[in-house]
Amino acid sequence: QVPVVESGGGLVQAGGSLRLSCTVPGSGRTFSSFAMGWFRQPAGKARDFVAGINWSGDRISYADSVKGRFSISRDNAKNTMYLQMNSLKPEDTAVYYCAARERWGRRLYSTPDDYDHWGQGTQVTVSS
């Protein structure tokens, strides 16, 4: 199992911003071969896709609900992925999970089954 660690969650007012980080410690050069993704799970609801990025960072996808507000990026030299969240809304409140896909693939991936390793999640709460 590859460890995946999220950080950066917290409480923010509507309209505010947060940046989540996801590191894969110990992955070394293999991190640059992983497709990565962010998912979120509101209390009592299913886990939904938020954003995905391919191994090189030149292909990105977003859920419609976050397009224009969230931005995913990665720094392979630091084994780290980011999610910049702007113009946050109360409906963005959820536990946010980072996911890593170790199986090789060039495309983008948007379902939980596409990913092999998961973090424990970080809570994001947006107050109105």
Side-chain angles (χ1 to χ4, degrees), residues 43-58:
K45 296 185 178 181
R47 188 172 299 190
D48 290 329
F49 173 75
V50 174
I53 188 167
N54 74 332
W55 64 278
S56 62
D58 62 351

Side-chain angles (χ1 to χ4, degrees), residues 48 51 59 64 72 81 85 92-93 101 107 115 119 126:
D48 290 329
R59 297 185 65 189
D64 288 343
I72 188 172
M81 176 181 66
M85 304 185 295
D92 294 318
T93 295
R101 177 183 168 92
R107 66 178 180 88
Y115 292 87
V126 184

